[in-house]
Amino acid sequence: MNRENKRRKYDKNYYKKNPCTDSFTCRNCGWPIVSAGAGSNHRNHCPNCLCSLHVDNEPGDRASDCGGIMEPIGVWVRGDGEWAIIHRCRRCGKLSSNRIAADDNPMKLMALAMKPVVSDFLDRGRLKEMLSSMQSQGDLI
Amino acid sequence: MAMIECENCGTMYDESLDHCPECLSSVHETNDDGEECGGIFEPVSVWIKDKGRPELICRCQFCGALKTEPIEEDDNPVTIMSIASRPLANPPFPVERLQELTDLMGGQGDMSGYYRK
């Protein structure tokens, strides 16, 4: 066993200091994933389905006992104007935020961002009443 | 009914509510380790939990902790819409080339659902 492999196996904080370059298959959608192309050395989620795995408590410590699939629930805009995905563990409900990568599926990202806007959790009838009380001019369809 | 003042915007609201109905912010009392934080939880996103229950995703401005909170009946609809539409107003890729970019990576999903055949 060479030194690097030994360190990877026994040093608990190895992935805090070193990027993981292994290729793997997405546990959710079966997409084959390589570490290159993310625009960062630390790939966090599947570029196709945007799901991640709950393996870390702190970034890189591999200390979580949960191991559930973290599904994307929303996106938000960080202070620098960059999008970040909010993941939620299907098993334990832990939330985490992560920057989007360069090769993430833009269709799925857009679908994620449009979901709350398109859904009618705000009562459309009450919104129309509000609009007329705000003295909007002209007719709504 | 005791009223408290919102730390973020100064609105007076009922203390039984989880967050300010106007700016949807609240105060991060203690973190996971049981230590006091005192940062302001600002709403960053909205998501629909199962069975169509909408929830707010809040992030502490001071320590970055995340939490979800159900949206109340009396929450300001304009604030909610502004939070929900913030990512759409600031897309990281050219929206007009969405299909092209997705095809390029061989990713799943297309926009055919919108266009009637």
Side-chain angles (χ1 to χ4, degrees):
Chain A
M1 192 185 276
N2 69 28
R3 240 160 238 248
E4 195 63 17
N5 282 344
K6 196 171 179 183
R7 216 174 285 149
R8 195 171 297 175
K9 193 166 179 195
Y10 295 109
D11 183 2
K12 282 208 175 102
N13 290 332
Y14 181 83
Y15 290 116
K16 275 190 181 177
K17 298 168 212 149
N18 302 283
C20 175
T21 52
D22 300 344
S23 302
F24 55 98
T25 325
C26 173
R27 276 245 303 265
N28 187 51
C29 71
W31 195 258
I33 303 167
V34 290
S35 71
S40 137
N41 285 328
H42 307 271
R43 187 181 285 287
N44 163 270
H45 49 260
C46 169
N48 181 48
C49 69
L50 313 176
C51 283
S52 172
L53 284 184
H54 189 187
V55 287
D56 290 349
N57 289 333
E58 295 288 318
D61 65 358
R62 300 289 186 270
S64 172
D65 296 330
C66 176
I69 291 173
M70 310 269 288
E71 55 182 359
I73 60 168
V75 288
W76 68 290
V77 185
R78 288 159 37 129
D80 50 4
E82 191 178 43
W83 279 20
I85 302 179
I86 296 164
H87 284 110
R88 182 174 181 275
C89 181
R90 256 185 219 162
R91 210 182 217 174
C92 70
K94 196 203 169 211
L95 296 165
S96 81
S97 159
N98 209 282
R99 289 171 59 198
I100 60 168
D103 57 354
D104 281 348
N105 186 343
M107 200 68 84
K108 300 254 168 121
L109 277 176
M110 210 58 198
L112 203 58
M114 282 175 71
K115 213 172 161 187
V117 181
V118 172
S119 78
D120 42 290
F121 65 86
L122 288 172
D123 189 345
R124 295 283 151 138
R126 278 183 63 191
L127 281 181
K128 279 179 188 161
E129 275 170 36
M130 184 185 83
L131 211 57
S132 65
S133 73
M134 285 162 82
Q135 306 217 344
S136 114
Q137 287 168 10
D139 290 330
L140 285 171
I141 357 168
Chain B
M1 199 168 77
M3 305 289 272
I4 48 174
E5 191 181 350
C6 173
E7 299 272 342
N8 186 40
C9 68
T11 312
M12 300 297 285
Y13 64 98
D14 185 23
E15 69 175 352
S16 65
L17 294 173
D18 285 334
H19 52 252
C20 169
E22 292 298 329
C23 67
L24 315 179
S25 302
S26 51
V27 175
H28 189 198
E29 308 277 352
T30 51
N31 60 18
D32 291 341
D33 303 332
E35 290 157 4
E36 271 183 46
C37 176
I40 286 172
F41 264 126
E42 61 165 342
V44 292
S45 184
V46 177
W47 78 294
I48 318 293
K49 213 178 174 175
D50 46 278
K51 292 170 202 144
R53 275 182 303 158
E55 282 197 338
L56 221 52
I57 303 166
C58 302
R59 181 176 178 275
C60 177
Q61 282 177 340
F62 189 64
C63 71
L66 292 163
K67 70 160 180 179
T68 56
E69 257 178 12
I71 288 175
E72 307 285 339
E73 188 82 340
D74 291 338
D75 287 347
N76 191 337
V78 185
T79 324
I80 298 174
M81 293 221 285
S82 120
I83 293 159
S85 59
R86 206 168 286 160
L88 289 182
N90 215 340
F93 36 75
V95 179
E96 65 277 10
R97 301 180 67 185
L98 202 59
Q99 186 72 63
E100 204 178 315
L101 288 168
T102 314
D103 293 344
L104 202 65
M105 72 161 285
Q108 294 169 339
D110 58 52
M111 287 164 56
S112 62
Y114 180 77
Y115 302 105
R116 287 208 185 86
K117 294 200 179 80

